[in-house]
């Protein structure tokens, strides 16, 4: 009890910072913010909350865009004091290097630790100030997931604190669901969620698979089962690469070239990123207004789509890498190639210029129409279904007459369609289109959220994807770990009144 | 055919570099080297001339260790036709004067009589801005500094130069040396094919066995500069004006000043 008193002596009244996140979701409310310094203190708070039926919301870096760390009542646990990153270690058995990090360590912090080594952590969401715990909770990913997979693939172990105050280290490869699909862990027996997972990049809902590892249930669980306090991440060897941007006259050429690139066995890109015609036009306009801001070349007026990808330089043989590129059946006129870091950084800035410009646009419209917010898709489908989805995008978006840009992780069949509403009516129309596309994605067995998660903003899409029965299954799992539905309430599915 | 030499330098990325507080020198270790941005502008100007005049050959020169090949390949990818690396242990430690002397020997060897030598106005690591002027002196060519536009080029060349707040219009005979101050905001980029060709290209290596410098004038030994102190200076802007009536007086004053600098009577 003394320890609890000690923790509560450090509490504060919640400032706005702890009541909102990058989703800009309104209405956040909590009575206290607590700052535990270790997992034992987190356990004390959770035990206290369980006993007194107090809802708890976990806050780390607040970079999520689905409202997952926005509290609606109860207390907030900010993990900000738990941000230590350990030394780089070597797993002698597998030969893999790894590093341990407390939940609130940022991806940038991890990057800094690895600076000057030959290693990197190959999970690259755009927001590198995200916490490692948050990225595990949402199974985050970025462009590199095309080659390296999402967060899930790199998590070797986690430390998790459950609502009963117990602390567990879960090491990958030690506890699997049995033949009947049941787990018997932490004194709890339960069956894995009976849901059908999409066969594509996915961050929607709980994970389920025959003979699955218990660690995978927690990864991507959006914090609804327990609090992740420490993570052990695997590291990959760094490699030199050549960056390429190829401009195309039509979007269809870019999409065809993506399929060709994915099929070609010799060239394995680290990622493939896409920009559509209206996206390029938006960057052109920005470059006209503010040439310094983008430090980029003039984009040809004929360019109506572009792809950006990196290929590995193996064994320091840059000539071999160039030869591979030249062996591809494509006219390299209208391309932009970089092998030095400074130029590669310019290409990266070019990649980021589009989402940044979209954000600036929305901020501009917001001045006139305060209720306008960003509306972007996070849908993905399998390779086989992507062509059909693209055709659907074209027909439904063109018919709508709405302004939009499309860009992102085409290698994973995962494009972000960002609507550019100029008034509230257009935003509402965009939301309707969003729903129509979501229905199509589900029809194609895709995911309604490939990397951002469901949070508090996309409940209905999770239900559309897995059905009411699927969501019930996820609620069943939650009730095993959090019988009173107190932890991160409202993430993934609604919790209702206490 | 017009033969253009573009002189380029490999410099550390100044946005990543740190300064050793004790010695006041740049910590170059582990810092990536890049093509000096002003040299890229110089190369841009050469490429623009090539587009205009067609029959132009651009040869990029740099002096440095073998690793300096990288900036030559960058120059090739951005439009240089040939690249020359002047490299010899005897050249290491060269100051501006020894560098200008060695580069001049290399240029003479490779191109005999170049029509035009284009340099960046200065390198972003040393910021001395001395080498182009010294090369013009050594090779006996006029120097046109801070050029941002070549308005005419034939046997003569007319250029516009940015001199602080004013624009200076100069013309001169060819061959000449020009330095380039500012470039365009719109950057040129190499395509995959251009980058690959640059990587596959042969780079000409010139050592002292080939260019035969007077070793007393190269490397550390041949470098008269001693850095005593480095401090920022501000231009005083103090000018003496001579109108048409006093032109002779002005010219004589100028010749006197030059003779003081050069240590002999002009």
């Amino acid at each position: 009890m003394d320890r609890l008193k000690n923790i509560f002596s450090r509490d504060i009244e919640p400032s706005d910072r702890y009541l909102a996140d990058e989703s800009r979701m309104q209405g956040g409310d909590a009575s206290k913010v607590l700052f535990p310094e270790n997992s034992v203190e987190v356990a004390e708070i959770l035990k206290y909350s369980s006993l007194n039926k107090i809802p708890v919301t976990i806050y780390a870096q607040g970079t999520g865009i689905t409202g997952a760390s926005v509290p609606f009542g109860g207390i907030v646990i900010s993990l900000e004091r738990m941000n230590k990153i350990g030394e780089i270690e070597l797993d002698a058995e597998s030969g893999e290097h790894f590093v341990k990090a407390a939940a609130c360590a940022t991806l940038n912090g991890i990057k800094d630790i690895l600076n000057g080594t030959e290693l990197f952590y190959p999970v690259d969401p755009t927001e590198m100030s995200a916490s490692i715990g948050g990225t595990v909770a949402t199974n985050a990913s970025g462009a590199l997931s095309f080659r390296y997979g999402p967060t899930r693939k790199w998590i070797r172990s986690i430390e998790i604190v459950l609502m009963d105050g117990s602390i567990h280290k879960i090491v990958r490869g030690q506890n699997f669901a049995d033949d009947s699909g049941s787990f018997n862990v932490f004194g709890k027996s339960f069956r894995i969620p009976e849901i059908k997972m999409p066969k594509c990049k996915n961050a929607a809902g709980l994970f389920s698979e025959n003979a699955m590892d218990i660690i995978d249930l927690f990864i991507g669980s959006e914090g609804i089962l327990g609090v992740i306090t420490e993570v052990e991440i695997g590291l990959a060897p760094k490699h030199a690469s050549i960056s390429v941007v190829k401009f195309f006259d039509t979007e269809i050429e870019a999409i065809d070239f993506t399929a060709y690139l994915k099929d070609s066995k010799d060239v394995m890109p680290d990622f493939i990123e896409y920009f559509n015609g209206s996206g390029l036009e938006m960057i052109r306009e920005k470059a006209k207004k503010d040439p310094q801001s983008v430090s980029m070349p003039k984009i040809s007026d004929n360019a109506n789509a572009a792809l950006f990808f990196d290929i590995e330089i193996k064994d320091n043989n840059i000539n071999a890498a160039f030869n591979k590129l030249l062996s591809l059946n494509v006219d390299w006129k209208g391309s932009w190639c970089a092998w030095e870091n400074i130029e590669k950084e310019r290409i990266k800035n070019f990649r980021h210029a589009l989402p940044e410009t979209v954000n600036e646009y929305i901020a501009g419209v917001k001045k006139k129409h305060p209720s306008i917010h960003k509306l972007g898709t996070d849908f993905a489908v399998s390779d086989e279904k992507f062509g059909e989805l693209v055709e659907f995008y074209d027909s439904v978006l063109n018919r709508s007459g709405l302004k939009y840009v499309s860009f992102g992780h085409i290698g994973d069949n995962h494009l972000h369609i960002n609507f550019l509403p100029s008034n509230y009516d257009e935003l509402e129309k965009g939301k309707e289109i969003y729903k129509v596309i979501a229905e199509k994605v589900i029809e194609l067995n895709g995911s309604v959220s490939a990397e951002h998660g469901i949070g508090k903003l996309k409940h209905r899409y999770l239900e559309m994807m897995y059905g009411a029965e699927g969501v019930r299954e996820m609620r069943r799992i939650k009730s095993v770990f959090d019988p009173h539905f107190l932890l991160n309430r409202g993430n993934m599915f609604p919790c209702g009144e206490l | 055919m017009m033969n253009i030499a573009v002189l380029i330098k490999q410099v550390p990325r100044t946005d990543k570099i740190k300064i050793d507080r004790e010695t006041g020198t740049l910590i170059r270790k582990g810092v990536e080297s890049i093509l000096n941005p002003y040299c890229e502008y110089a190369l841009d100007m050469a490429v623009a001339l090539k587009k205009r005049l067609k029959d132009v050959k651009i040869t990029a020169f740099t002096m440095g260790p073998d690793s300096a090949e990288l900036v030559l390949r960058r120059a090739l990818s951005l439009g240089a036709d040939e690249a020359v690396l002047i490299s010899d242990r005897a050249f290491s430690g060269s100051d501006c004067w020894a560098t200008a002397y060695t580069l001049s020997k290399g240029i003479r060897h490779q191109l005999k009589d170049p029509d035009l030598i284009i340099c960046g106005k200065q390198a972003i690591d040393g910021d001395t801005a001395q080498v182009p002027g010294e090369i013009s002196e050594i090779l006996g060519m006029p120097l046109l500094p801070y050029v941002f536009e070549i308005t005419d080029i034939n046997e003569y060349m007319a250029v516009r130069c940015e001199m602080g707040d004013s624009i200076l219009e100069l013309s001169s005979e060819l061959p000449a040396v020009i330095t380039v101050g500012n470039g365009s905001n719109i950057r040129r980029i190499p395509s995959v094919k251009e980058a690959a060709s640059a990587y596959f290209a042969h780079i000409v290596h010139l050592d002292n066995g080939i260019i035969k410098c007077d070793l007393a004038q190269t490397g550390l030994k041949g470098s008269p500069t001693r850095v005593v102190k480095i401090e920022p200076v501000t231009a005083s802007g103090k000018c003496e004006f001579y109108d048409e009536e006093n032109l002779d007086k002005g010219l004589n004053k100028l010749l006197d000043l030059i003779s003081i600098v050069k240590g002999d009577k002009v």
Side-chain angles (χ1 to χ4, degrees):
Chain A
M1 212 54 208
D2 278 354
R3 189 182 281 133
L4 200 57
K5 223 187 253 171
N6 188 22
I7 302 166
F8 273 92
S9 72
R10 288 183 250 123
D11 70 347
I12 61 162
E13 297 297 314
S15 61
D16 287 351
R17 179 180 157 201
Y18 300 102
L19 301 179
D21 63 11
E22 282 298 316
S23 67
R24 309 267 177 248
M25 193 178 185
Q26 303 290 311
D29 176 45
S31 60
K32 290 262 179 259
V33 186
L34 298 172
F35 302 91
E37 293 185 343
N38 51 50
S39 42
V40 174
E41 292 192 352
V42 174
E44 290 288 337
I45 302 169
L46 294 189
K47 214 157 50 180
Y48 172 82
S49 303
S50 287
L51 269 173
N52 297 286
K53 309 273 185 301
I54 301 169
V56 182
T57 302
I58 304 300
Y59 188 93
Q61 295 290 349
T63 57
I65 55 173
T66 61
S69 55
V70 181
F72 287 89
I75 58 171
V76 170
I77 296 181
S78 169
L79 297 175
E80 64 199 72
R81 295 189 181 179
M82 297 170 63
N83 59 2
K84 254 178 84 175
I85 305 172
E87 303 276 314
I88 300 166
E89 296 177 65
L90 175 68
D91 179 337
E93 205 174 302
S94 67
E96 185 180 52
H97 285 88
F98 63 93
V99 77
K100 280 189 203 120
C104 211
T106 64
L107 295 181
N108 271 332
I110 291 165
K111 198 175 161 194
D112 288 346
I113 293 272
L114 299 176
N115 211 351
T117 73
E118 292 303 308
L119 299 163
F120 80 119
Y121 177 53
V123 176
D124 65 335
T126 312
E127 186 53 80
M128 292 294 282
S129 59
S131 70
I132 186 74
T135 58
V136 175
T138 190
N139 189 29
S141 57
L144 284 175
S145 67
F146 175 67
R147 175 168 173 178
Y148 292 95
T151 299
R152 182 181 305 286
K153 209 183 144 197
W154 296 92
I155 303 308
R156 294 165 51 93
S157 76
I158 56 174
E159 181 185 69
I160 189 113
V161 185
L162 301 181
M163 281 308 280
D164 59 11
S166 58
I167 304 171
H168 307 274
K169 180 160 181 183
I170 306 177
V171 179
R172 184 176 288 285
Q174 292 189 348
N175 202 327
F176 298 93
D178 65 19
D179 290 347
S180 69
S182 294
F183 278 115
N184 198 338
V185 283
F186 319 139
K188 302 170 201 301
S189 272
F190 59 96
R191 286 180 51 73
I192 62 171
E194 285 182 30
I195 50 171
K196 197 175 156 224
M197 301 278 290
K199 286 195 179 70
C200 62
K201 191 169 169 180
N202 180 37
L206 292 176
F207 184 83
S208 178
E209 199 175 71
N210 285 338
M212 67 182 279
D213 192 311
I214 186 72
I215 198 170
D216 284 322
L217 186 66
F218 287 92
I219 298 169
S221 65
E222 301 197 6
I224 64 169
L225 307 180
V227 180
I228 296 164
T229 45
E230 189 181 80
V231 179
E232 190 179 291
I233 55 171
L235 304 169
K238 263 182 206 160
H239 62 256
S241 59
I242 298 176
S243 291
V244 177
V245 177
K246 169 78 180 106
F247 296 97
F248 296 88
D249 290 351
T250 63
E251 294 179 356
I252 196 79
E253 283 174 70
I255 288 158
D256 286 348
F257 184 71
T258 306
Y260 170 68
L261 202 54
K262 284 165 80 170
D263 279 347
S264 61
K265 293 200 173 54
D266 280 349
V267 182
M268 173 63 185
D270 291 343
F271 56 81
I272 314 175
E273 297 284 293
Y274 172 78
F275 311 75
N276 82 330
S278 54
L280 289 181
E281 185 55 28
M282 210 168 181
I283 305 178
R284 270 192 205 101
E285 288 300 316
K286 187 181 166 85
K288 256 186 227 163
K289 276 186 216 145
D290 182 10
Q292 296 284 12
S293 69
V294 278
S295 170
M296 68 175 64
K298 184 176 184 300
I299 304 171
S300 148
D301 291 341
N302 297 329
N304 267 309
L307 293 177
F308 164 29
F309 57 93
D310 267 14
I311 72 154
E312 179 175 355
I313 299 170
K314 280 194 180 131
D315 308 321
N316 275 331
N317 190 343
I318 191 165
N319 284 12
F322 273 123
N323 272 327
K324 275 185 186 173
L325 282 170
L326 293 178
S327 73
L328 292 172
N329 185 19
V330 64
D331 178 2
W332 286 116
K333 226 166 131 190
S335 60
W336 176 9
C337 181
W339 69 83
E340 296 163 296
N341 286 340
I342 189 166
E343 192 70 8
K344 279 160 63 176
E345 283 167 24
R346 285 174 185 142
I347 292 186
K348 264 196 190 143
N349 289 343
F350 173 73
R351 159 71 180 87
H352 291 309
L354 184 52
E356 277 164 18
T357 314
V358 170
N359 289 345
E360 282 166 23
Y361 172 87
I362 297 291
V365 178
K366 220 176 163 73
K367 279 182 197 154
K368 257 203 223 156
H369 307 278
S371 56
I372 294 279
H373 57 80
K374 194 171 163 177
L375 180 63
T377 70
D378 185 27
F379 305 139
V381 293
S382 63
D383 283 357
E384 300 78 49
K385 304 289 185 186
F386 187 58
E388 193 177 338
L389 180 62
V390 168
E391 276 175 31
F392 188 77
Y393 279 151
D394 277 351
S395 70
V396 75
L397 289 164
N398 290 341
R399 218 173 33 230
S400 76
L402 289 175
K403 270 175 63 183
Y404 71 96
V405 295
S406 160
F407 61 91
H409 321 310
I410 196 168
D412 283 323
N413 311 308
H414 174 206
L415 296 182
H416 296 299
I417 312 282
N418 274 237
F419 293 92
L420 304 170
S422 55
N423 56 48
Y424 192 68
D425 283 350
E426 286 182 7
L427 178 68
E428 285 303 301
K429 207 171 164 191
K431 284 183 183 168
E432 282 165 32
I433 305 284
Y434 184 105
K435 185 164 175 273
V436 171
I437 300 175
E439 282 164 355
K440 182 69 184 179
V441 166
I442 291 161
E443 182 196 315
L444 298 174
N445 295 320
S447 172
V448 294
S449 179
E451 65 181 3
H452 298 156
I454 296 298
K456 297 183 176 75
L457 295 174
K458 297 181 184 175
H459 293 158
R460 72 164 166 162
Y461 297 105
L462 185 78
E463 186 160 340
M464 278 164 64
M465 185 171 158
Y466 291 107
E469 186 52 38
V471 177
R472 250 198 305 278
E473 277 294 288
M474 295 182 203
R475 292 176 71 94
R476 174 175 64 78
I477 303 292
K478 178 160 176 71
S479 70
V480 172
F481 290 92
D482 180 16
H484 304 295
F485 282 66
L486 296 169
L487 183 60
N488 287 315
R489 289 169 59 76
N491 284 0
M492 209 175 280
F493 37 75
C495 278
E497 295 300 312
L498 263 181
Chain B
M1 187 180 62
M2 176 178 260
N3 251 317
I4 301 180
V6 177
L7 310 190
I8 63 176
K9 188 178 182 193
Q10 189 181 38
V11 294
R13 278 186 73 167
T14 46
D15 58 336
K16 301 273 179 195
I17 207 162
K18 292 185 180 116
I19 291 175
D20 184 326
R21 282 174 187 275
E22 279 181 18
T23 61
T25 54
L26 304 177
I27 304 169
R28 295 178 190 238
K29 205 178 161 216
V31 178
E32 185 190 358
S33 293
I34 57 165
L35 174 60
N36 179 41
Y38 294 113
C39 299
E40 190 164 329
Y41 296 150
L43 188 64
D44 279 350
M45 191 168 275
V47 173
L49 266 184
K50 185 172 176 168
K51 273 195 187 143
R52 206 156 113 193
L53 304 175
K54 308 287 185 242
D55 198 15
V56 168
K57 184 182 173 195
I58 302 170
T59 307
F61 289 83
T62 197
M63 182 173 138
D66 285 351
S67 60
E69 265 200 10
L70 265 183
V71 284
L72 287 170
R73 297 206 184 276
R74 169 108 186 125
L76 287 167
S77 76
L78 289 173
D81 300 297
E82 186 176 49
V84 179
L85 176 66
I86 301 171
S87 188
D88 197 303
R89 240 182 224 176
F91 305 153
S92 76
S94 295
D95 69 356
C96 303
W97 177 260
T99 301
Y101 166 72
T102 313
L103 277 169
S104 301
K105 292 289 273 186
I107 295 165
R108 277 280 185 238
H109 172 87
Q110 192 67 20
L111 300 179
K112 307 287 182 286
D113 297 305
D115 300 289
L116 184 62
I117 298 173
I118 310 183
C119 315
K121 69 168 180 175
Q122 67 201 60
I124 57 168
D125 54 350
D127 282 323
T128 63
Q130 299 301 301
V131 173
E134 290 168 351
I135 285 178
S136 84
E137 182 67 28
I138 293 167
L139 295 178
M141 297 178 186
L143 175 76
L144 295 82
Y146 308 120
V147 174
F148 66 92
E149 188 185 0
I150 298 176
T151 46
D152 193 15
I153 184 159
N154 213 313
E155 271 136 49
Y156 281 81
M157 176 167 68
V159 299
R160 285 155 66 80
C161 311
E162 200 173 5
M163 305 292 273
D165 294 337
S166 33
I167 287 173
L168 196 64
E169 294 188 349
L170 296 175
S171 63
S172 105
E173 291 177 334
L174 290 180
V177 179
I178 65 174
T179 76
V180 181
N182 289 315
S184 159
N185 282 327
I186 305 292
R187 298 182 48 258
R188 287 182 316 107
I189 48 169
S191 71
V192 169
K193 219 169 160 190
E194 287 163 334
S197 306
Y199 244 91
F200 299 150
H202 168 70
I203 287 181
V204 179
H205 281 242
L206 300 181
D207 61 17
N208 201 44
I210 300 171
I211 62 175
K212 296 190 174 48
C213 291
D214 168 6
L215 289 181
Q217 291 194 58
T218 62
L220 201 57
K221 260 195 318 200
S223 297
T225 314
R226 296 289 172 268
V227 179
V228 180
K229 193 176 156 192
I230 298 172
E231 57 183 326
V233 290
T234 37
S236 70
K238 212 171 103 187
C239 291
E240 288 177 34
F241 289 94
Y242 297 89
D243 55 20
E244 265 176 57
E245 283 173 23
N246 297 311
L247 205 55
D248 280 354
K249 204 175 148 195
L251 282 174
N252 281 327
K253 176 84 189 258
L254 195 58
L255 288 173
D256 283 347
L257 284 172
I258 292 172
S259 67
I260 293 167
V261 174
K262 291 189 64 162
D264 56 17
K265 200 77 190 158
V266 180

